[in-house]
Amino acid sequence: MNILLFAQLRDYYGASSVTFPDDELPLTVDELRSSLAGLGSEEFRQALLEPNVFCAVNQKVVEPKYIVQADDEVGFFPPMTGG
Amino acid sequence: MNILLFAQLRDYYGASSVTFPDDELPLTVDELRSSLAGLGSEEFRQALLEPNVFCAVNQKVVEPKYIVQADDEVGFFPPMTGG
Amino acid sequence: MFEVELSATELDLSALNQRFMGTDESIGAVVSFTGIVRGNGIQAIEVEHYPGMTESVLSKKIESAAKRWPLRKASIVHRIGSLPVSEPIVWVSVASAHRAAAFLACEFLMDFLKVDAPFWKKELDANGVWKWVEVRSQDQDRANRWMGRYAPTQA
Amino acid sequence: MFEVELSATELDLSALNQRFMGTDESIGAVVSFTGIVRGNGIQAIEVEHYPGMTESVLSKKIESAAKRWPLRKASIVHRIGSLPVSEPIVWVSVASAHRAAAFLACEFLMDFLKVDAPFWKKELDANGVWKWVEVRSQDQDRANRWMGRYAPTQA
């Protein structure tokens, strides 16, 4: 699974997506986020674990307890600043 | 003095201004309105005496007790409907 | 910065918008209102005004708005004379640093323009009869909102 | 009737306005918001978005607005990519029979667009350093207003 990263998270990670092993899924968003945090730099880890980070599954923002399946589209991002 | 009339009041009176004798002034707006009401048709009288009619003196809306002088610009009109 | 205009010819919205948008780098928000003649059973409308007083009332309303909110620009352009259905009758634009002030000021100006500026509209109905438009009680209520203790001032 | 567009090139406000104004005789009020890049110490901004999700979130917000208020038309056009100071970043227009609905719906769309649509802005400051824009707490507060018991629904 490719997990999409946006804005600061992408900058800290150094790429716009992270490959995550399908066989570790399903996981809740919270569990996925914790695992993901170990895959980058310390800066990335801290930024991803900020309480205001959002997770979208299939392009909809979901709660931390939402269960992610291997065929879902998943993205993590900081607070949105449109307009 | 020429007193300006707008919208329905002008239509009922049949002209956009009424000449009013300067030597009857000063008068309050209320007194002026009563005198003016006698100068036109019954329709005009009723329309002018409607409680929602406005009087502007020197292009500012004033209260019924305001005192009108002979050199003032005076207008009477029904509720405004801009926009 | 603050402009009032009465126009006897069709409003050119593109030109008005273009003229309003400038290069003032402190402007972050522009709110524009366009009022249009609706076709609910009418063929046309005619707008009468009190020359001189109308312009002065509208200018003073812009000044009051500028005292309540930090405005950078404000413009009111109102039609006079005859208008067919679907033509713009009024255009009000307000520019500010942030959107809260621009939205409030634009609505404030429109609410007063409806009931406090000496314009009178008459409508030509489907039977070819001209009728003076009555003031809508909602319009008076909306204008009154700004005057009480709990007026929506700064958001 | 309901449109969402992301544009990688400068917004042509005249063209957008012209396209939005139509011949629907039931429309009496159009409210438009234009957001502009302010020059308070910055040289330029860059707007990133989540392709697909951004469009879908904005379309859904227009649908929610249309459930709350009787809208005839609504359009959101947002810039993506790099913008210099004084260029428009977003244009939101709403058309309705009466102005109350048009004002409320336009402000509702803007308030959610600021905090609920996946856009991220970064600014190039005077020293040539790019910085991600932090969400303003007022923006979050304004969006929250619409969700409570006392949400401003119909005026």
Side-chain angles (χ1 to χ4, degrees), chain D residues 7-127:
Chain D
S7 170
T9 55
E10 183 172 356
L11 303 190
D12 180 345
L13 297 175
S14 290
L16 290 173
N17 277 306
Q18 217 143 34
R19 201 176 65 190
F20 193 77
M21 294 293 166
T23 51
D24 179 342
E25 293 196 351
S26 71
I27 292 175
V30 174
V31 173
S32 298
F33 176 86
T34 309
I36 296 162
V37 179
R38 285 192 307 137
N40 54 337
I42 69 161
Q43 300 186 48
I45 69 161
E46 190 157 323
V47 182
E48 177 179 341
H49 75 296
Y50 184 159
M53 179 170 170
T54 307
E55 294 89 328
S56 119
V57 165
L58 295 177
S59 297
K60 277 182 220 141
K61 272 301 161 197
I62 291 183
E63 285 165 33
S64 325
K67 275 182 200 137
R68 286 187 177 220
W69 301 286
L71 308 185
R72 304 295 306 174
K73 281 187 186 180
S75 190
I76 298 177
V77 184
H78 203 291
R79 272 299 307 274
I80 52 176
S82 304
L83 290 84
V85 166
S86 290
E87 237 180 56
I89 176 167
V90 62
W91 179 84
V92 176
S93 275
V94 174
S96 186
H98 297 290
R99 72 188 185 288
F103 271 111
L104 285 165
C106 188
E107 205 166 356
F108 170 92
L109 291 174
M110 271 310 301
D111 286 347
F112 281 106
L113 188 151
K114 282 268 172 182
V115 296
D116 261 9
F119 289 109
W120 301 275
K121 286 184 298 208
K122 60 181 177 186
E123 297 177 341
L124 184 62
D125 71 16
N127 304 318

Side-chain angles (χ1 to χ4, degrees), chain B residues 8-22:
Chain B
Q8 295 94 312
L9 297 181
R10 189 212 34 241
D11 286 358
Y12 288 137
Y13 186 72
S16 60
S17 70
V18 196
T19 307
F20 190 82
D22 281 358

Side-chain angles (χ1 to χ4, degrees), chain A residues 2-63:
Chain A
N2 274 320
I3 295 172
L4 304 171
L5 300 173
F6 295 91
Q8 294 94 313
L9 298 180
R10 189 211 36 239
D11 286 358
Y12 289 137
Y13 186 72
S16 60
S17 71
V18 197
T19 307
F20 190 83
D22 281 359
D23 56 12
E24 291 192 21
L25 296 164
L27 287 175
T28 66
V29 164
D30 245 359
E31 292 162 345
L32 176 60
R33 177 151 82 148
S34 300
S35 298
L36 204 58
L39 303 182
S41 65
E42 176 55 20
E43 259 181 334
F44 173 69
R45 195 187 70 81
Q46 279 183 22
L48 183 64
L49 297 178
E50 282 283 344
N52 61 13
V53 161
F54 289 84
C55 178
V57 174
N58 300 324
Q59 307 194 350
K60 273 183 197 149
V61 169
V62 294
E63 296 297 310

